[in-house]
Short mmCIF file of all heavy atoms in Angstrom, two decimals:
data_model
loop_
_atom_site.label_atom_id
_atom_site.label_comp_id
_atom_site.label_asym_id
_atom_site.label_seq_id
_atom_site.Cartn_x
_atom_site.Cartn_y
_atom_site.Cartn_z
N MET A 1 -55.00 106.00 -4.45
CA MET A 1 -55.70 105.92 -3.18
C MET A 1 -54.78 106.31 -2.02
O MET A 1 -55.24 106.89 -1.05
CB MET A 1 -56.25 104.51 -3.00
CG MET A 1 -57.27 104.38 -1.90
SD MET A 1 -58.67 105.47 -2.02
CE MET A 1 -59.76 104.53 -3.01
N PHE A 2 -53.49 105.98 -2.18
CA PHE A 2 -52.53 106.31 -1.14
C PHE A 2 -52.43 107.82 -0.93
O PHE A 2 -52.50 108.31 0.20
CB PHE A 2 -51.16 105.71 -1.51
CG PHE A 2 -50.06 106.05 -0.56
CD1 PHE A 2 -50.05 105.53 0.72
CD2 PHE A 2 -49.01 106.87 -0.94
CE1 PHE A 2 -49.03 105.83 1.60
CE2 PHE A 2 -47.99 107.18 -0.07
CZ PHE A 2 -48.00 106.65 1.20
N GLU A 3 -52.30 108.56 -2.03
CA GLU A 3 -52.19 110.02 -1.94
C GLU A 3 -53.48 110.63 -1.41
O GLU A 3 -53.45 111.59 -0.62
CB GLU A 3 -51.82 110.62 -3.29
CG GLU A 3 -50.41 110.32 -3.73
CD GLU A 3 -49.35 110.87 -2.77
OE1 GLU A 3 -49.52 111.98 -2.23
OE2 GLU A 3 -48.35 110.16 -2.56
N LEU A 4 -54.61 110.10 -1.82
CA LEU A 4 -55.90 110.59 -1.33
C LEU A 4 -55.99 110.38 0.18
O LEU A 4 -56.43 111.28 0.92
CB LEU A 4 -57.04 109.86 -2.03
CG LEU A 4 -58.45 110.21 -1.55
CD1 LEU A 4 -58.76 111.68 -1.80
CD2 LEU A 4 -59.48 109.33 -2.24
N SER A 5 -55.57 109.23 0.65
CA SER A 5 -55.59 108.94 2.09
C SER A 5 -54.72 109.93 2.86
O SER A 5 -55.12 110.42 3.93
CB SER A 5 -55.11 107.51 2.35
OG SER A 5 -55.96 106.58 1.74
N LYS A 6 -53.56 110.23 2.32
CA LYS A 6 -52.67 111.20 2.98
C LYS A 6 -53.33 112.57 3.05
O LYS A 6 -53.29 113.24 4.10
CB LYS A 6 -51.34 111.29 2.24
CG LYS A 6 -50.45 110.10 2.47
CD LYS A 6 -49.19 110.04 1.66
CE LYS A 6 -48.50 111.30 1.31
NZ LYS A 6 -47.26 111.11 0.55
N ASN A 7 -53.95 112.99 1.96
CA ASN A 7 -54.63 114.30 1.94
C ASN A 7 -55.76 114.36 2.96
O ASN A 7 -55.90 115.35 3.68
CB ASN A 7 -55.18 114.60 0.54
CG ASN A 7 -54.09 114.96 -0.44
OD1 ASN A 7 -53.04 115.43 -0.05
ND2 ASN A 7 -54.35 114.72 -1.71
N ILE A 8 -56.55 113.32 3.02
CA ILE A 8 -57.67 113.28 3.97
C ILE A 8 -57.13 113.33 5.40
O ILE A 8 -57.65 114.09 6.23
CB ILE A 8 -58.54 112.04 3.74
CG1 ILE A 8 -59.28 112.16 2.41
CG2 ILE A 8 -59.52 111.85 4.89
CD1 ILE A 8 -59.99 110.91 1.95
N LEU A 9 -56.13 112.54 5.70
CA LEU A 9 -55.57 112.51 7.06
C LEU A 9 -55.00 113.88 7.45
O LEU A 9 -55.14 114.30 8.60
CB LEU A 9 -54.52 111.42 7.19
CG LEU A 9 -55.09 110.00 7.17
CD1 LEU A 9 -53.97 108.98 7.02
CD2 LEU A 9 -55.92 109.72 8.40
N GLN A 10 -54.39 114.57 6.51
CA GLN A 10 -53.88 115.91 6.81
C GLN A 10 -55.02 116.87 7.13
O GLN A 10 -54.92 117.70 8.03
CB GLN A 10 -53.06 116.45 5.65
CG GLN A 10 -51.71 115.79 5.55
CD GLN A 10 -50.91 116.25 4.35
OE1 GLN A 10 -51.47 116.48 3.28
NE2 GLN A 10 -49.61 116.36 4.52
N LYS A 11 -56.13 116.73 6.41
CA LYS A 11 -57.26 117.64 6.61
C LYS A 11 -58.00 117.38 7.91
O LYS A 11 -58.59 118.31 8.48
CB LYS A 11 -58.24 117.53 5.44
CG LYS A 11 -57.66 118.14 4.18
CD LYS A 11 -58.60 118.03 3.01
CE LYS A 11 -57.95 118.62 1.76
NZ LYS A 11 -58.77 118.51 0.58
N VAL A 12 -57.99 116.14 8.41
CA VAL A 12 -58.73 115.84 9.64
C VAL A 12 -57.80 115.74 10.85
O VAL A 12 -58.25 115.37 11.94
CB VAL A 12 -59.57 114.55 9.51
CG1 VAL A 12 -60.59 114.68 8.42
CG2 VAL A 12 -58.69 113.33 9.31
N SER A 13 -56.55 116.08 10.68
CA SER A 13 -55.58 115.91 11.76
C SER A 13 -55.84 116.82 12.97
O SER A 13 -55.22 116.63 14.02
CB SER A 13 -54.17 116.13 11.25
OG SER A 13 -53.99 117.46 10.82
N PHE A 14 -56.75 117.75 12.86
CA PHE A 14 -57.08 118.62 13.98
C PHE A 14 -57.92 117.90 15.03
O PHE A 14 -58.03 118.35 16.17
CB PHE A 14 -57.83 119.88 13.50
CG PHE A 14 -59.19 119.57 12.92
CD1 PHE A 14 -60.32 119.59 13.72
CD2 PHE A 14 -59.33 119.24 11.57
CE1 PHE A 14 -61.57 119.30 13.19
CE2 PHE A 14 -60.57 118.94 11.04
CZ PHE A 14 -61.70 118.97 11.84
N ASP A 15 -58.51 116.75 14.66
CA ASP A 15 -59.43 116.05 15.56
C ASP A 15 -59.02 114.58 15.67
O ASP A 15 -58.98 113.87 14.67
CB ASP A 15 -60.85 116.16 15.02
CG ASP A 15 -61.87 115.50 15.91
OD1 ASP A 15 -62.06 114.28 15.78
OD2 ASP A 15 -62.47 116.21 16.74
N LYS A 16 -58.74 114.14 16.89
CA LYS A 16 -58.26 112.77 17.12
C LYS A 16 -59.27 111.71 16.68
O LYS A 16 -58.90 110.70 16.07
CB LYS A 16 -57.95 112.59 18.61
CG LYS A 16 -57.24 111.32 18.95
CD LYS A 16 -56.83 111.33 20.42
CE LYS A 16 -55.91 110.17 20.73
NZ LYS A 16 -55.38 110.24 22.09
N THR A 17 -60.54 111.93 16.94
CA THR A 17 -61.58 110.96 16.58
C THR A 17 -61.71 110.84 15.06
O THR A 17 -61.79 109.72 14.53
CB THR A 17 -62.94 111.37 17.20
OG1 THR A 17 -62.77 111.52 18.61
CG2 THR A 17 -63.99 110.33 16.92
N LEU A 18 -61.73 111.96 14.37
CA LEU A 18 -61.80 111.93 12.91
C LEU A 18 -60.56 111.29 12.31
O LEU A 18 -60.64 110.53 11.34
CB LEU A 18 -61.94 113.35 12.36
CG LEU A 18 -63.33 113.94 12.31
CD1 LEU A 18 -63.27 115.39 11.85
CD2 LEU A 18 -64.23 113.14 11.40
N PHE A 19 -59.42 111.60 12.89
CA PHE A 19 -58.16 111.03 12.40
C PHE A 19 -58.20 109.51 12.50
O PHE A 19 -57.86 108.81 11.55
CB PHE A 19 -56.98 111.60 13.19
CG PHE A 19 -55.64 111.17 12.67
CD1 PHE A 19 -55.05 111.84 11.62
CD2 PHE A 19 -54.98 110.09 13.24
CE1 PHE A 19 -53.81 111.43 11.12
CE2 PHE A 19 -53.74 109.68 12.75
CZ PHE A 19 -53.16 110.36 11.69
N ARG A 20 -58.64 109.00 13.65
CA ARG A 20 -58.74 107.55 13.85
C ARG A 20 -59.70 106.93 12.83
O ARG A 20 -59.39 105.90 12.21
CB ARG A 20 -59.21 107.23 15.26
CG ARG A 20 -59.41 105.73 15.50
CD ARG A 20 -59.98 105.41 16.87
NE ARG A 20 -58.97 105.58 17.90
CZ ARG A 20 -59.01 106.50 18.87
NH1 ARG A 20 -60.01 107.34 18.94
NH2 ARG A 20 -58.05 106.57 19.76
N LYS A 21 -60.85 107.54 12.65
CA LYS A 21 -61.88 107.03 11.74
C LYS A 21 -61.34 106.97 10.30
O LYS A 21 -61.50 105.96 9.61
CB LYS A 21 -63.11 107.93 11.80
CG LYS A 21 -64.24 107.52 10.91
CD LYS A 21 -65.41 108.49 11.07
CE LYS A 21 -66.51 108.19 10.09
NZ LYS A 21 -67.60 109.16 10.18
N GLU A 22 -60.71 108.03 9.84
CA GLU A 22 -60.20 108.08 8.47
C GLU A 22 -58.99 107.16 8.28
O GLU A 22 -58.83 106.58 7.21
CB GLU A 22 -59.86 109.52 8.08
CG GLU A 22 -61.06 110.43 7.98
CD GLU A 22 -62.09 109.96 6.94
OE1 GLU A 22 -61.71 109.32 5.94
OE2 GLU A 22 -63.28 110.22 7.14
N LEU A 23 -58.18 107.01 9.31
CA LEU A 23 -57.06 106.09 9.21
C LEU A 23 -57.55 104.65 9.11
O LEU A 23 -57.02 103.86 8.33
CB LEU A 23 -56.12 106.25 10.41
CG LEU A 23 -54.86 105.38 10.42
CD1 LEU A 23 -54.03 105.60 9.16
CD2 LEU A 23 -54.03 105.66 11.67
N MET A 24 -58.59 104.31 9.87
CA MET A 24 -59.18 102.97 9.78
C MET A 24 -59.68 102.70 8.36
O MET A 24 -59.43 101.63 7.80
CB MET A 24 -60.36 102.82 10.75
CG MET A 24 -59.97 102.74 12.20
SD MET A 24 -59.19 101.20 12.66
CE MET A 24 -60.56 100.09 12.58
N LYS A 25 -60.37 103.66 7.78
CA LYS A 25 -60.87 103.51 6.40
C LYS A 25 -59.72 103.31 5.43
O LYS A 25 -59.75 102.44 4.58
CB LYS A 25 -61.68 104.74 5.98
CG LYS A 25 -63.08 104.78 6.49
CD LYS A 25 -63.81 105.86 5.71
CE LYS A 25 -64.54 106.78 6.63
NZ LYS A 25 -65.15 107.91 5.93
N ALA A 26 -58.71 104.15 5.56
CA ALA A 26 -57.58 104.09 4.64
C ALA A 26 -56.87 102.74 4.71
O ALA A 26 -56.55 102.15 3.69
CB ALA A 26 -56.59 105.22 4.97
N VAL A 27 -56.67 102.25 5.91
CA VAL A 27 -55.97 100.98 6.08
C VAL A 27 -56.77 99.83 5.48
O VAL A 27 -56.20 98.89 4.94
CB VAL A 27 -55.63 100.75 7.57
CG1 VAL A 27 -55.13 99.35 7.81
CG2 VAL A 27 -54.61 101.77 8.04
N LYS A 28 -58.07 99.92 5.53
CA LYS A 28 -58.92 98.87 4.94
C LYS A 28 -58.88 98.91 3.41
O LYS A 28 -58.99 97.88 2.77
CB LYS A 28 -60.36 99.01 5.43
CG LYS A 28 -60.53 98.62 6.87
CD LYS A 28 -61.95 98.81 7.34
CE LYS A 28 -62.07 98.50 8.82
NZ LYS A 28 -63.41 98.74 9.33
N TRP A 29 -58.74 100.09 2.84
CA TRP A 29 -58.78 100.25 1.38
C TRP A 29 -57.46 99.93 0.69
O TRP A 29 -57.46 99.50 -0.46
CB TRP A 29 -59.13 101.69 1.01
CG TRP A 29 -60.52 102.11 1.30
CD1 TRP A 29 -61.62 101.32 1.50
CD2 TRP A 29 -60.98 103.45 1.43
NE1 TRP A 29 -62.72 102.10 1.74
CE2 TRP A 29 -62.36 103.41 1.70
CE3 TRP A 29 -60.35 104.69 1.34
CZ2 TRP A 29 -63.13 104.55 1.88
CZ3 TRP A 29 -61.12 105.83 1.52
CH2 TRP A 29 -62.49 105.75 1.79
N LEU A 30 -56.36 100.18 1.37
CA LEU A 30 -55.06 100.12 0.72
C LEU A 30 -54.51 98.71 0.54
O LEU A 30 -54.85 97.79 1.28
CB LEU A 30 -54.05 100.95 1.52
CG LEU A 30 -54.32 102.45 1.57
CD1 LEU A 30 -53.31 103.12 2.49
CD2 LEU A 30 -54.26 103.07 0.19
N LYS A 31 -53.63 98.59 -0.44
CA LYS A 31 -52.90 97.34 -0.68
C LYS A 31 -51.89 97.16 0.46
O LYS A 31 -51.49 98.15 1.08
CB LYS A 31 -52.17 97.41 -2.01
CG LYS A 31 -53.07 97.57 -3.19
CD LYS A 31 -52.26 97.80 -4.46
CE LYS A 31 -53.16 98.15 -5.61
NZ LYS A 31 -52.39 98.53 -6.80
N PRO A 32 -51.46 95.94 0.72
CA PRO A 32 -50.52 95.69 1.83
C PRO A 32 -49.26 96.57 1.81
O PRO A 32 -48.87 97.10 2.85
CB PRO A 32 -50.15 94.21 1.67
CG PRO A 32 -51.35 93.62 1.00
CD PRO A 32 -51.87 94.69 0.07
N GLU A 33 -48.66 96.75 0.63
CA GLU A 33 -47.44 97.57 0.58
C GLU A 33 -47.75 99.05 0.85
O GLU A 33 -46.94 99.77 1.43
CB GLU A 33 -46.69 97.41 -0.74
CG GLU A 33 -47.46 97.81 -1.98
CD GLU A 33 -48.36 96.72 -2.57
OE1 GLU A 33 -48.48 95.64 -1.99
OE2 GLU A 33 -48.95 96.99 -3.64
N GLU A 34 -48.95 99.49 0.45
CA GLU A 34 -49.35 100.88 0.72
C GLU A 34 -49.67 101.07 2.20
O GLU A 34 -49.43 102.15 2.74
CB GLU A 34 -50.56 101.25 -0.13
CG GLU A 34 -50.25 101.37 -1.60
CD GLU A 34 -51.46 101.66 -2.47
OE1 GLU A 34 -52.57 101.19 -2.13
OE2 GLU A 34 -51.30 102.36 -3.47
N LYS A 35 -50.19 100.04 2.85
CA LYS A 35 -50.46 100.12 4.29
C LYS A 35 -49.18 100.40 5.06
O LYS A 35 -49.16 101.23 5.97
CB LYS A 35 -51.08 98.82 4.80
CG LYS A 35 -52.49 98.60 4.37
CD LYS A 35 -53.01 97.28 4.90
CE LYS A 35 -54.37 96.96 4.30
NZ LYS A 35 -54.92 95.72 4.81
N ALA A 36 -48.11 99.69 4.69
CA ALA A 36 -46.83 99.89 5.36
C ALA A 36 -46.30 101.31 5.12
O ALA A 36 -45.82 101.96 6.05
CB ALA A 36 -45.82 98.86 4.86
N LEU A 37 -46.42 101.77 3.88
CA LEU A 37 -45.97 103.14 3.57
C LEU A 37 -46.78 104.18 4.32
O LEU A 37 -46.24 105.18 4.80
CB LEU A 37 -46.07 103.40 2.06
CG LEU A 37 -45.07 102.67 1.18
CD1 LEU A 37 -45.40 102.91 -0.30
CD2 LEU A 37 -43.66 103.13 1.48
N LEU A 38 -48.09 103.94 4.44
CA LEU A 38 -48.94 104.89 5.15
C LEU A 38 -48.58 104.93 6.63
O LEU A 38 -48.56 106.00 7.23
CB LEU A 38 -50.42 104.54 4.97
CG LEU A 38 -51.39 105.55 5.57
CD1 LEU A 38 -51.29 106.89 4.84
CD2 LEU A 38 -52.82 105.04 5.52
N MET A 39 -48.29 103.77 7.20
CA MET A 39 -47.91 103.76 8.62
C MET A 39 -46.63 104.57 8.84
O MET A 39 -46.56 105.37 9.76
CB MET A 39 -47.71 102.34 9.12
CG MET A 39 -47.36 102.27 10.58
SD MET A 39 -47.19 100.58 11.13
CE MET A 39 -46.91 100.83 12.87
N ILE A 40 -45.65 104.38 7.99
CA ILE A 40 -44.39 105.13 8.10
C ILE A 40 -44.66 106.63 7.94
O ILE A 40 -44.17 107.45 8.72
CB ILE A 40 -43.37 104.64 7.05
CG1 ILE A 40 -42.94 103.21 7.38
CG2 ILE A 40 -42.17 105.58 6.97
CD1 ILE A 40 -42.21 102.51 6.26
N TRP A 41 -45.46 106.98 6.94
CA TRP A 41 -45.79 108.39 6.71
C TRP A 41 -46.53 108.98 7.91
O TRP A 41 -46.22 110.09 8.36
CB TRP A 41 -46.62 108.53 5.44
CG TRP A 41 -47.01 109.94 5.17
CD1 TRP A 41 -46.26 110.91 4.58
CD2 TRP A 41 -48.26 110.56 5.52
NE1 TRP A 41 -46.96 112.10 4.54
CE2 TRP A 41 -48.20 111.90 5.10
CE3 TRP A 41 -49.42 110.11 6.13
CZ2 TRP A 41 -49.24 112.79 5.29
CZ3 TRP A 41 -50.47 110.99 6.32
CH2 TRP A 41 -50.37 112.32 5.90
N CYS A 42 -47.51 108.23 8.44
CA CYS A 42 -48.28 108.72 9.59
C CYS A 42 -47.39 108.94 10.81
O CYS A 42 -47.50 109.95 11.49
CB CYS A 42 -49.39 107.73 9.95
SG CYS A 42 -50.82 107.80 8.88
N LEU A 43 -46.53 107.97 11.07
CA LEU A 43 -45.64 108.11 12.23
C LEU A 43 -44.67 109.27 12.06
O LEU A 43 -44.38 109.99 13.01
CB LEU A 43 -44.88 106.81 12.48
CG LEU A 43 -45.73 105.67 13.06
CD1 LEU A 43 -44.95 104.37 13.05
CD2 LEU A 43 -46.22 106.00 14.46
N THR A 44 -44.21 109.48 10.84
CA THR A 44 -43.29 110.59 10.57
C THR A 44 -44.01 111.93 10.68
O THR A 44 -43.49 112.88 11.26
CB THR A 44 -42.69 110.44 9.16
OG1 THR A 44 -42.04 109.19 9.07
CG2 THR A 44 -41.70 111.55 8.87
N THR A 45 -45.22 111.99 10.14
CA THR A 45 -45.95 113.25 10.07
C THR A 45 -46.73 113.57 11.34
O THR A 45 -46.76 114.71 11.79
CB THR A 45 -46.93 113.21 8.87
OG1 THR A 45 -46.21 112.82 7.70
CG2 THR A 45 -47.56 114.57 8.63
N PHE A 46 -47.37 112.56 11.92
CA PHE A 46 -48.25 112.78 13.06
C PHE A 46 -47.85 112.02 14.32
O PHE A 46 -48.59 112.00 15.29
CB PHE A 46 -49.69 112.39 12.70
CG PHE A 46 -50.24 113.14 11.52
CD1 PHE A 46 -50.45 112.49 10.32
CD2 PHE A 46 -50.55 114.49 11.61
CE1 PHE A 46 -50.96 113.17 9.22
CE2 PHE A 46 -51.04 115.18 10.52
CZ PHE A 46 -51.24 114.51 9.32
N GLY A 47 -46.70 111.38 14.30
CA GLY A 47 -46.26 110.57 15.44
C GLY A 47 -46.20 111.33 16.75
O GLY A 47 -46.50 110.80 17.80
N HIS A 48 -45.81 112.58 16.68
CA HIS A 48 -45.73 113.41 17.89
C HIS A 48 -47.10 113.66 18.49
O HIS A 48 -47.24 113.88 19.69
CB HIS A 48 -45.04 114.74 17.56
CG HIS A 48 -45.84 115.59 16.62
ND1 HIS A 48 -45.91 115.32 15.26
CD2 HIS A 48 -46.59 116.69 16.84
CE1 HIS A 48 -46.70 116.23 14.70
NE2 HIS A 48 -47.11 117.08 15.62
N GLN A 49 -48.13 113.58 17.67
CA GLN A 49 -49.48 113.94 18.08
C GLN A 49 -50.38 112.71 18.28
O GLN A 49 -51.14 112.65 19.24
CB GLN A 49 -50.08 114.83 16.98
CG GLN A 49 -51.38 115.49 17.30
CD GLN A 49 -51.81 116.42 16.17
OE1 GLN A 49 -51.20 116.46 15.10
NE2 GLN A 49 -52.85 117.17 16.40
N TYR A 50 -50.27 111.74 17.38
CA TYR A 50 -51.21 110.60 17.38
C TYR A 50 -50.52 109.24 17.34
O TYR A 50 -51.08 108.29 16.80
CB TYR A 50 -52.15 110.70 16.17
CG TYR A 50 -53.07 111.89 16.20
CD1 TYR A 50 -53.19 112.70 15.09
CD2 TYR A 50 -53.81 112.20 17.31
CE1 TYR A 50 -54.04 113.79 15.08
CE2 TYR A 50 -54.66 113.29 17.34
CZ TYR A 50 -54.78 114.08 16.22
OH TYR A 50 -55.62 115.16 16.23
N LYS A 51 -49.36 109.13 17.91
CA LYS A 51 -48.62 107.86 17.88
C LYS A 51 -49.47 106.72 18.43
O LYS A 51 -49.51 105.63 17.86
CB LYS A 51 -47.32 107.99 18.68
CG LYS A 51 -46.42 106.80 18.59
CD LYS A 51 -45.12 107.07 19.34
CE LYS A 51 -44.17 105.91 19.18
NZ LYS A 51 -42.90 106.19 19.86
N ASP A 52 -50.15 106.96 19.53
CA ASP A 52 -50.99 105.93 20.15
C ASP A 52 -52.13 105.50 19.23
O ASP A 52 -52.42 104.31 19.09
CB ASP A 52 -51.54 106.41 21.49
CG ASP A 52 -52.33 107.71 21.39
OD1 ASP A 52 -52.06 108.52 20.47
OD2 ASP A 52 -53.23 107.93 22.23
N VAL A 53 -52.75 106.43 18.56
CA VAL A 53 -53.86 106.13 17.64
C VAL A 53 -53.35 105.31 16.45
O VAL A 53 -53.98 104.32 16.07
CB VAL A 53 -54.52 107.44 17.12
CG1 VAL A 53 -55.54 107.15 16.03
CG2 VAL A 53 -55.15 108.20 18.27
N ILE A 54 -52.23 105.69 15.90
CA ILE A 54 -51.67 105.00 14.74
C ILE A 54 -51.37 103.55 15.09
O ILE A 54 -51.77 102.62 14.37
CB ILE A 54 -50.41 105.73 14.23
CG1 ILE A 54 -50.78 107.13 13.73
CG2 ILE A 54 -49.73 104.92 13.12
CD1 ILE A 54 -49.61 108.08 13.57
N HIS A 55 -50.71 103.33 16.21
CA HIS A 55 -50.39 101.96 16.63
C HIS A 55 -51.66 101.16 16.93
O HIS A 55 -51.75 99.99 16.57
CB HIS A 55 -49.44 101.96 17.83
CG HIS A 55 -48.04 102.33 17.48
ND1 HIS A 55 -47.25 101.57 16.64
CD2 HIS A 55 -47.29 103.39 17.84
CE1 HIS A 55 -46.08 102.13 16.51
NE2 HIS A 55 -46.07 103.25 17.21
N GLU A 56 -52.62 101.80 17.56
CA GLU A 56 -53.88 101.14 17.89
C GLU A 56 -54.62 100.68 16.62
O GLU A 56 -55.09 99.55 16.54
CB GLU A 56 -54.77 102.12 18.68
CG GLU A 56 -56.17 101.64 18.95
CD GLU A 56 -57.03 102.75 19.52
OE1 GLU A 56 -56.53 103.52 20.36
OE2 GLU A 56 -58.20 102.85 19.11
N VAL A 57 -54.70 101.55 15.63
CA VAL A 57 -55.39 101.22 14.37
C VAL A 57 -54.67 100.07 13.66
O VAL A 57 -55.31 99.12 13.22
CB VAL A 57 -55.48 102.46 13.45
CG1 VAL A 57 -55.90 102.06 12.05
CG2 VAL A 57 -56.46 103.47 14.04
N TYR A 58 -53.36 100.14 13.58
CA TYR A 58 -52.63 99.09 12.87
C TYR A 58 -52.68 97.76 13.62
O TYR A 58 -52.74 96.71 12.98
CB TYR A 58 -51.20 99.53 12.57
CG TYR A 58 -51.12 100.30 11.28
CD1 TYR A 58 -51.37 101.67 11.24
CD2 TYR A 58 -50.85 99.66 10.09
CE1 TYR A 58 -51.32 102.37 10.05
CE2 TYR A 58 -50.81 100.35 8.88
CZ TYR A 58 -51.04 101.70 8.88
OH TYR A 58 -51.01 102.38 7.68
N LYS A 59 -52.71 97.78 14.95
CA LYS A 59 -52.86 96.53 15.71
C LYS A 59 -54.23 95.92 15.50
O LYS A 59 -54.36 94.72 15.35
CB LYS A 59 -52.61 96.78 17.19
CG LYS A 59 -51.17 96.89 17.56
CD LYS A 59 -51.00 97.09 19.05
CE LYS A 59 -49.55 97.30 19.39
NZ LYS A 59 -49.36 97.54 20.82
N SER A 60 -55.26 96.75 15.46
CA SER A 60 -56.62 96.22 15.27
C SER A 60 -56.79 95.66 13.87
O SER A 60 -57.53 94.69 13.67
CB SER A 60 -57.66 97.30 15.55
OG SER A 60 -57.66 98.30 14.54
N VAL A 61 -56.13 96.21 12.89
CA VAL A 61 -56.22 95.72 11.51
C VAL A 61 -55.50 94.37 11.39
O VAL A 61 -55.96 93.48 10.69
CB VAL A 61 -55.65 96.75 10.53
CG1 VAL A 61 -55.50 96.17 9.14
CG2 VAL A 61 -56.54 97.97 10.49
N VAL A 62 -54.38 94.22 12.07
CA VAL A 62 -53.63 92.97 12.01
C VAL A 62 -54.45 91.83 12.62
O VAL A 62 -54.45 90.73 12.11
CB VAL A 62 -52.27 93.12 12.75
CG1 VAL A 62 -51.60 91.77 12.92
CG2 VAL A 62 -51.37 94.07 12.00
N LYS A 63 -55.21 92.11 13.68
CA LYS A 63 -56.03 91.10 14.34
C LYS A 63 -57.17 90.62 13.46
O LYS A 63 -57.57 89.48 13.51
CB LYS A 63 -56.60 91.64 15.65
CG LYS A 63 -55.58 91.80 16.74
CD LYS A 63 -56.22 92.31 17.99
CE LYS A 63 -55.19 92.54 19.09
NZ LYS A 63 -55.80 93.09 20.29
N SER A 64 -57.75 91.53 12.64
CA SER A 64 -58.91 91.15 11.84
C SER A 64 -58.57 90.55 10.52
O SER A 64 -57.59 90.18 10.14
CB SER A 64 -59.84 92.31 11.57
OG SER A 64 -59.27 93.56 11.61
#
């Protein structure tokens, strides 16, 4: 599921709204250790573009 999530995020990275939506789904599906790995991967790969979205999604997941 982790690799699938990465592939999907790469494919939708052209659109901020789609990226946010797919990242939310991925974070809900993944195991806790995979969530941490995905966050690191997202920040490394898309941090220059979507750093605010990544932090926003992970903060909202921690609250719920």
Side-chain angles (χ1 to χ4, degrees):
M1 194 55 88
F2 177 69
E3 290 299 322
L4 176 63
S5 298
K6 286 174 33 178
N7 287 334
I8 291 170
L9 289 169
Q10 286 176 323
K11 289 179 182 178
V12 299
S13 65
F14 66 92
D15 182 275
K16 190 174 190 173
T17 305
L18 276 175
F19 185 84
R20 177 185 285 115
K21 180 180 174 183
E22 293 300 330
L23 182 57
M24 288 288 289
K25 281 193 229 175
V27 170
K28 288 178 184 177
W29 290 340
L30 295 175
K31 298 174 188 173
E33 61 274 5
E34 290 176 327
K35 288 179 188 181
L37 289 174
L38 185 66
M39 182 178 184
I40 293 166
W41 179 82
C42 282
L43 287 171
T44 303
T45 309
F46 302 110
H48 66 285
Q49 190 176 8
Y50 295 131
K51 186 176 184 178
D52 56 333
V53 172
I54 296 163
H55 286 296
E56 173 190 319
V57 167
Y58 274 85
K59 282 182 184 178
S60 70
V61 169
V62 169
K63 289 181 183 177
S64 25

